[in-house]
Amino acid sequence: DLVLVEQRVEPAKKAAQIIYKKLVGCLQSQQGLDSERRMKKLPLMMLSVSMAESFKDFDGDSSIRKVLEMCCFMQNFLARTLADFEMKLEKEVLVPLNKLSEDDLPEILKNKKQFAKLTTDWNNARVRSQTSTGPQAKQDGLREDVEEAWKRLESIKDQYSADLYHFATKEDEYASYFIRLLDLQAEYHKASYEFLKKNITELKESHKPQMSSSEEKVFGEPLLSHLQSCGRKIAVPIEECVGMLLRTGLREEGLFRLAAAASVVKKLKSCLDSGTVDQNEFSYDPHAVAGALKCYLRELPEPLMTFELYNDWFKAAAEKETDEKLKQLRTVLQKLPTENYHNLRYLVQFLSHLSEQQAVNKMTPSNIAIVLGPNLMWPRCEGETPLLDMASASSLQVVTVIEPLIQYSKSLFPEGTGTLHKSWFTVNLNFQLISAARRSFIQHKAPNLAKGPPVNQAGAFPAAQTRVFPVPLPRSSEIKPPPSPKPENTQASLPMLPEEGPQKKPQGRRPKVPPPQPPQALNKQLSSPAQ
């Protein structure tokens, strides 16, 4: 039994030494100090002091001040709790471990070494006595040495045995030091948790009105709950962004492909969340509007085309015959929840309208499907990050689903298409007419815009008129400007106006409504009427 106990002494000393040093390293305060002095040196107490200094700059009604005051009090309590915990830890665990590793066990190991030395001395004395062949007196002296060595060996043997028995009886007590460490940690964390739970609940209750605004956000919310809360059929971000893109984005090259400024996209998302969107502010940055729309679709908890129908979409798109493919796509569309179907129809019809301008915006149905498809459908992959889900969905398979939806939107979504297309066409036509008129006006306008006499059917001016007047502004449908007359042939090509024609207006008389002035850039370019 003593041999087994002896084998445990050295490991016990090593464990006590190592754990004592590591445990001291976990302390956040200095050893040997009382609770108050410990608390002043703790990082939590310094944090509490900083909070107290910070909330002094706020007025009494500030919600930030009230929260900081409460946080200051809570950090102070946590610092005091930590200081008390470390005081108990030092007294009940660290001090006993240090005594065990530096005093008790080293004394046992010292007696062990002494016992081994005296055993060797006794064996050597006995060997010398047994092998001696000298005089009797010498042999008697050697026997006395053996007896003396034996007495010393018996003495240290009794002491060493007593130490081992004592260690064996105290081994359970030594093990209890580590159990006490866990108990103290549990008490400390329990007290801190209960205090934090109680006060955080009170803090949230007192500031519920200020925090309730986060419940009204749009991005990241399920589609159905958002539609029910706002009483709409089309999600606010989809409807607002499509409306702005119809105004200025249809002819924008690389729409949905080119990235916009992150700050503008973030601001637009915040406005959509709060329900205060000024379309005039964001319409002239269509790439930011497209980016916000992509963010909304990507941040939906479930994709607009749903997890459940993910494989059904690919099966339908895999059909080789166009008629059969469209038939299968209609079948899958009918399986969509009503709210998903309405929003997908609204969005796809817009994308189809966008692809009609592909000659200008370079966004074919295929290009649109590549950049927008991964935001409309992705698989449900448990245990993987959304980024990996998006990467797995951005494949050619997704393009095979989204592209025919855009190409054959009028066939796949026959109901309500006329109304939507009529509104889109009206907005787009007005914008195109204004743009065409502006471009035509700039191209054909001469520097002198004074109103001249009317022309006859041949387009000639009276012979008496010596000034060269600008060509009349063409209609918005006219694209190509008429060729400018050469200066040297202008006078020769002016036939006589019949006498019954309208009279020339007096020199210097101005029209009642002044015509628009040319841009400053054209003043330098059009230096003469001929130019």
Side-chain angles (χ1 to χ4, degrees):
D1 292 341
L2 289 181
V3 172
L4 292 177
V5 173
E6 185 182 32
Q7 293 175 355
R8 300 173 188 163
V9 175
E10 187 67 32
K13 177 178 178 290
K14 182 178 180 181
Q17 284 179 334
I18 293 176
I19 294 173
Y20 172 82
K21 292 180 180 179
K22 298 299 181 182
L23 200 53
V24 169
C26 293
L27 297 180
Q28 298 186 37
S29 60
Q30 185 178 348
Q31 287 183 269
L33 300 179
D34 57 23
S35 180
E36 291 296 329
R37 295 173 64 188
R38 282 175 183 269
M39 192 172 65
K40 293 180 181 179
K41 300 294 183 180
L42 288 175
L44 285 175
M45 190 61 192
M46 297 179 184
L47 176 60
S48 176
V49 173
S50 299
M51 289 180 172
E53 294 174 351
S54 299
F55 70 68
K56 294 178 181 178
D57 298 331
F58 292 91
D59 58 274
D61 296 331
S62 172
S63 59
I64 298 180
R65 177 191 175 97
K66 295 175 182 178
V67 173
L68 281 178
E69 285 180 346
M70 191 64 179
C71 289
C72 173
F73 162 71
M74 294 169 68
Q75 297 300 331
N76 186 287
F77 176 86
L78 293 176
R80 186 176 299 277
T81 305
L82 179 58
D84 293 340
F85 160 71
E86 292 191 352
M87 285 278 293
K88 293 180 181 179
L89 182 66
E90 182 177 345
K91 179 180 178 180
E92 301 181 27
V93 179
L94 289 176
V95 171
L97 276 180
N98 186 56
K99 183 177 183 298
L100 180 64
S101 63
E102 299 298 330
D103 297 332
D104 298 345
L105 297 181
E107 184 66 23
I108 298 176
L109 295 175
K110 178 181 177 183
N111 289 336
K112 178 183 179 181
K113 291 181 180 179
Q114 186 67 13
F115 175 72
K117 179 179 180 303
L118 292 179
T119 301
T120 303
D121 293 345
W122 174 72
N123 285 326
N124 292 336
R126 190 180 58 171
V127 171
R128 286 195 302 268
S129 175
Q130 291 175 353
T131 58
S132 175
T133 57
Q136 185 65 33
K138 182 178 179 181
Q139 293 182 4
D140 293 340
L142 291 175
R143 283 195 295 270
E144 291 178 358
D145 291 341
V146 173
E147 292 176 358
E148 184 65 24
W150 175 254
K151 290 179 181 179
R152 292 196 297 271
L153 179 60
E154 284 291 323
S155 176
I156 195 64
K157 178 182 177 182
D158 294 339
Q159 181 63 40
Y160 181 48
S161 299
D163 290 341
L164 292 178
Y165 279 121
H166 181 266
F167 174 80
T169 57
K170 300 283 286 185
E171 188 173 5
D172 290 339
E173 181 181 342
Y174 298 151
S176 68
Y177 297 160
F178 306 108
I179 298 177
R180 184 55 182 160
L181 166 64
L182 298 177
D183 287 338
L184 291 174
Q185 288 178 320
E187 292 174 6
Y188 161 69
H189 289 296
K190 182 179 179 181
S192 300
Y193 170 74
E194 291 179 350
F195 173 79
L196 287 172
K197 182 179 180 181
K198 176 184 176 182
N199 287 275
I200 289 175
T201 302
E202 294 179 359
L203 190 61
K204 288 182 177 179
E205 288 294 330
S206 61
H207 289 271
K208 183 176 292 185
Q210 288 81 352
M211 300 178 66
S212 62
S213 60
S214 62
E215 300 175 357
E216 301 175 359
K217 69 176 187 176
V218 176
F219 283 78
E221 290 295 307
L223 179 63
L224 180 59
S225 61
H226 163 61
L227 296 177
Q228 290 175 344
S229 63
C230 65
R232 290 170 172 258
K233 287 188 176 180
I234 306 300
V236 172
I238 296 179
E239 189 169 353
E240 293 286 347
C241 291
V242 166
M244 288 184 279
L245 292 176
L246 284 170
R247 295 175 63 182
T248 56
L250 293 178
R251 301 175 65 84
E252 188 72 23
E253 183 174 345
L255 194 68
F256 291 107
R257 180 172 57 84
L258 299 179
S263 58
V264 182
V265 176
K266 183 177 180 180
K267 181 179 179 181
L268 177 54
K269 289 175 63 178
S270 300
C271 292
L272 291 169
D273 268 333
S274 61
T276 56
V277 181
D278 182 5
Q279 292 199 2
N280 294 326
E281 179 181 359
F282 297 101
S283 292
Y284 293 98
D285 193 350
H287 293 290
V289 178
L293 179 56
K294 289 172 65 177
C295 286
Y296 173 73
L297 296 172
R298 183 170 58 248
E299 294 176 16
L300 285 172
E302 183 177 12
L304 192 59
M305 300 173 71
T306 72
F307 289 130
E308 184 179 357
L309 300 177
Y310 182 78
N311 293 325
D312 293 350
W313 290 114
F314 291 131
K315 291 178 181 178
E319 296 290 341
K320 295 183 179 179
E321 296 294 332
T322 302
D323 293 340
E324 183 63 25
K325 179 185 295 187
L326 295 180
K327 179 181 177 181
Q328 295 298 326
L329 287 175
R330 290 190 192 96
T331 303
V332 182
L333 285 170
Q334 292 175 358
K335 297 179 182 179
L336 279 173
T338 304
E339 61 276 5
N340 294 64
Y341 177 82
H342 288 323
N343 283 268
L344 180 63
R345 180 187 66 187
Y346 188 91
L347 181 62
V348 169
Q349 288 176 353
F350 162 71
L351 297 177
S352 175
H353 198 58
L354 176 67
S355 67
E356 294 174 2
Q357 304 289 333
Q358 59 184 276
V360 179
N361 58 36
K362 311 301 182 185
M363 295 304 293
T364 63
S366 176
N367 291 340
I368 297 174
I370 291 173
V371 297
L372 207 58
N375 301 287
L376 293 172
M377 57 184 302
W378 61 86
R380 180 193 283 112
C381 296
E382 300 294 340
E384 296 186 12
T385 62
L387 184 60
L388 294 177
D389 296 345
M390 297 293 292
S392 64
S394 57
S395 61
L396 293 177
Q397 288 182 319
V398 176
V399 178
T400 62
V401 177
I402 306 300
E403 184 177 4
L405 290 179
I406 299 174
Q407 288 177 328
Y408 304 101
S409 63
K410 294 181 181 179
S411 174
L412 294 172
F413 303 100
E415 69 283 8
T417 304
T419 304
L420 287 173
H421 274 278
K422 182 178 179 181
S423 63
W424 293 348
F425 178 80
T426 303
V427 174
N428 188 38
L429 179 62
N430 291 340
F431 176 75
Q432 290 182 351
L433 288 176
I434 294 172
S435 301
R438 183 183 296 119
R439 289 194 303 271
S440 179
F441 176 75
I442 293 174
Q443 290 174 357
H444 306 304
K445 182 173 49 175
N448 188 353
L449 297 178
K451 189 173 182 180
V455 295
N456 56 18
Q457 293 181 356
F461 291 91
Q465 179 66 29
T466 58
R467 297 174 59 188
V468 179
F469 291 93
V471 179
L473 183 67
R475 298 176 181 175
S476 59
S477 60
E478 297 180 6
I479 303 301
K480 298 182 180 181
S484 302
K486 296 182 180 181
E488 60 274 13
N489 298 328
T490 301
Q491 299 295 334
S493 62
L494 296 178
M496 294 295 297
L497 187 68
E499 296 180 359
E500 64 273 14
Q503 299 295 323
K504 177 183 176 183
K505 293 184 179 181
Q507 182 69 23
R509 183 177 178 182
R510 301 179 63 85
K512 295 181 180 180
V513 180
Q517 296 297 320
Q520 295 181 359
L522 291 178
N523 289 338
K524 298 180 180 180
Q525 298 175 4
L526 305 180
S527 57
S528 67
Q531 290 178 347

